[in-house]
Amino acid sequence: MDTQKTILFVDDEEKILRSIQRIMFDQSYNCLYAKSGSEALEMLKANEVHVLITDMRMPEMSGLDLLRLVKTEYPQVVRMVLSGYTQITTLLAAINQGEILRYIKKPFENEQELLTAIQDAFEYYEKNAGVQSNG
């Protein structure tokens, strides 16, 4: 795949987005940052996004609601969760209804954990990009 790989990070906490920006600064990905689910949906309309990484607890639209919408409207986007929220029922709903590839606990142990998850997501995207079902 020769188009630039695009990741959309969604978190309502400015300091988390800044932390991710620092980690991603020297990576070769096109990184987009949204502070809400609705902002993320606008970015998805305007950009070809390959990987979405969202927080779960956000005002207005939860990460779970965002994941459900993205699964329906942009099924090719690989979905992951980055959250400090660990209520098991919510996580299971995200996994089952949003079909997430991975859950990353926030705060992450180290930068490499996030970077490895992103690399895995792009490998998954490459393998499955042309294999989306039509029904």
Side-chain angles (χ1 to χ4, degrees), residues 31-50:
C31 297
L32 304 172
Y33 302 91
K35 294 185 204 86
S36 68
S38 55
E39 189 180 340
L41 291 172
E42 290 302 313
M43 289 183 172
L44 282 160
K45 283 182 196 166
N47 300 277
E48 183 183 354
V49 173
H50 304 97

Side-chain angles (χ1 to χ4, degrees), residues 16-118:
I16 298 295
L17 289 178
R18 280 198 305 269
S19 172
I20 293 169
Q21 281 176 314
R22 281 193 298 276
I23 293 168
M24 300 307 295
F25 179 74
D26 60 352
Q27 301 299 312
S28 62
Y29 305 115
N30 179 31
C31 297
L32 304 172
Y33 302 91
K35 294 185 204 86
S36 68
S38 55
E39 189 180 340
L41 291 172
E42 290 302 313
M43 289 183 172
L44 282 160
K45 283 182 196 166
N47 300 277
E48 183 183 354
V49 173
H50 304 97
V51 174
L52 170 82
I53 301 178
T54 185
D55 187 19
M56 289 299 283
R57 291 182 88 175
M58 298 184 289
E60 297 167 37
M61 180 188 299
S62 72
L64 181 55
D65 290 339
L66 176 62
L67 289 165
R68 284 187 194 125
L69 281 166
V70 171
K71 178 187 169 192
T72 302
E73 296 178 31
Y74 307 93
Q76 75 283 3
V77 173
V78 177
R79 296 165 300 278
M80 296 197 294
V81 170
L82 172 65
S83 185
Y85 189 55
T86 56
Q87 185 182 19
I88 194 72
T89 52
T90 305
L91 291 178
L92 289 174
I95 292 164
N96 294 333
Q97 297 168 27
E99 290 185 12
I100 63 168
L101 177 67
R102 183 171 297 174
Y103 169 82
I104 306 160
K105 190 169 179 334
K106 184 168 75 176
F108 27 90
E109 298 298 310
N110 58 48
E111 294 178 8
Q112 196 55 49
E113 179 184 5
L114 179 64
L115 295 173
T116 299
I118 290 168

